[in-house]
Amino acid sequence: MPDGERIFVNAIRAYCRARGIVCEVSQQGWLIVMARGGERRFAFGYDVGLNNAMAHRIANDKSATAEVLAFAGIDCVPHTLFLSPKLGEHVARADSREAMLGLLRQYPDGIVVKPNEGTSGRSVCRVRTEAELDQAASEIFSAHLSLAISPYVEIAEEVRVILLDGAPLAVYRKERISDWRHNLDFGARPVLLADGEARDACVAVAIKATDAIRIRFASIDVVRVGQSWRVLEVNSGVMMEALGRLHPGLVYQAYAAALDKVFE
């Protein structure tokens, strides 16, 4: 296998090789074509193709996810959508900045400003002043067409649940090294959660979220604020690179289970 190849790609290669499935990797590993007989399946990014288009779009949109979960009565961290002025006055609301300032005034502990789509914690900013808000919005809108604002909350724990058709394949806590973020790309360490009350609670909340969005294969970030667990985000692309460096067998099994569903 090529040096530096993603664990996601390695897992798909291994799965196909063991089952006699032709596997072609292109676009620097971001597009994978799997062919068996007359069947052809695709993986793109970290998506194996199990989720329908609507579930995929909602899960990749932080504000839409929060709206759907709130509508279903599921406790979640709210995310408010703001569109880039680049989209024009007929799309982006004219009073966006005042509305952003309204949220800043509403939450005395500050707000978190982030791209509305995307993962890995890039361009995620904690904002406490008007100047910080303007800087964060400018940075995000320079590269994205939308952003989301959520209230800053003191997160005691963050747990990622990987679910396939309601069954947990991996459940692990993000143990942060420093900073206020739990992002794995910023040094947080994945620690498998042992069986018990906390694990059961996280899985239960994650299942409710996937049922609401009607998504089959996803990673759900669940956070503990005070004594309650709530959903932070849902991701349609299931990325387990950090976990795979510590527990490759578990990650390979998880992707294999999803691919079994793809080819069944």
Side-chain angles (χ1 to χ4, degrees):
M1 287 174 266
D3 292 339
E5 194 166 64
R6 292 180 297 144
I7 289 170
F8 178 80
V9 178
N10 291 345
I12 292 179
R13 285 187 189 275
Y15 179 90
C16 292
R17 187 166 53 249
R19 291 160 179 81
I21 299 171
V22 176
C23 178
E24 295 290 338
V25 179
S26 62
Q27 295 188 5
Q28 299 178 5
W30 287 99
L31 173 64
I32 303 174
V33 181
M34 298 166 281
R36 182 177 63 184
E39 296 180 277
R40 185 175 295 135
R41 301 289 185 267
F42 304 95
F44 189 81
Y46 285 96
D47 188 345
V48 300
L50 270 181
N51 302 321
N52 67 49
M54 185 56 68
H56 173 78
R57 292 194 66 182
I58 291 173
N60 283 345
D61 185 302
K62 295 176 178 63
S63 61
T65 294
E67 291 280 354
V68 170
L69 297 184
F71 182 79
I74 298 168
D75 198 9
C76 64
V77 177
H79 286 72
T80 303
L81 172 70
F82 292 92
L83 298 174
S84 169
K86 295 176 185 176
L87 294 172
E89 60 183 9
H90 298 296
V91 178
R93 52 189 289 185
D95 63 342
S96 286
R97 184 174 183 275
E98 184 56 39
M100 291 182 192
L101 288 171
L103 290 174
L104 182 60
R105 290 189 289 266
Q106 181 180 342
Y107 298 111
D109 292 330
I111 56 178
V112 177
V113 185
K114 62 183 76 171
N116 187 48
E117 300 183 19
T119 59
S120 302
R122 294 181 178 86
S123 298
V124 176
C125 308
R126 183 181 179 185
V127 166
R128 283 164 283 199
T129 67
E130 183 175 336
E132 289 176 344
L133 175 60
D134 287 338
Q135 181 178 350
S138 176
E139 175 187 334
I140 293 171
F141 282 149
S142 70
H144 302 271
L145 293 178
S146 62
L147 63 77
I149 292 180
S150 62
Y152 173 80
V153 293
E154 286 287 347
I155 295 174
E157 294 181 82
E158 182 171 332
V159 171
R160 174 161 289 180
V161 181
I162 309 297
L163 285 181
L164 174 62
D165 288 337
L169 303 181
V171 182
Y172 53 97
R173 180 167 50 88
K174 299 179 184 179
E175 189 176 82
R176 59 187 172 189
I177 306 302
S178 60
D179 200 349
W180 53 274
R181 292 175 292 187
H182 289 76
N183 299 95
L184 297 169
D185 278 7
F186 283 82
R189 181 173 177 268
V191 178
L192 293 177
L193 217 58
D195 290 342
E197 185 177 341
R199 188 182 191 276
D200 292 344
C202 291
V203 170
V205 171
I207 290 173
K208 288 180 181 178
T210 55
D211 285 348
I213 296 175
R214 301 175 68 86
I215 194 166
R216 298 184 62 189
F217 187 43
S219 67
I220 304 90
D221 289 335
V222 182
V223 296
R224 181 168 66 84
V225 180
Q227 298 303 311
S228 65
W229 291 96
R230 64 187 69 173
V231 177
L232 177 63
E233 293 181 7
V234 177
N235 296 294
S236 179
V238 179
M239 181 170 63
M240 293 185 280
E241 300 297 311
L243 182 65
R245 288 191 285 272
L246 298 174
H247 304 282
L250 177 63
V251 169
Y252 276 50
Q253 289 173 11
Y255 284 131
L259 290 167
D260 281 344
K261 298 278 188 176
V262 169
F263 281 98
E264 70 179 9

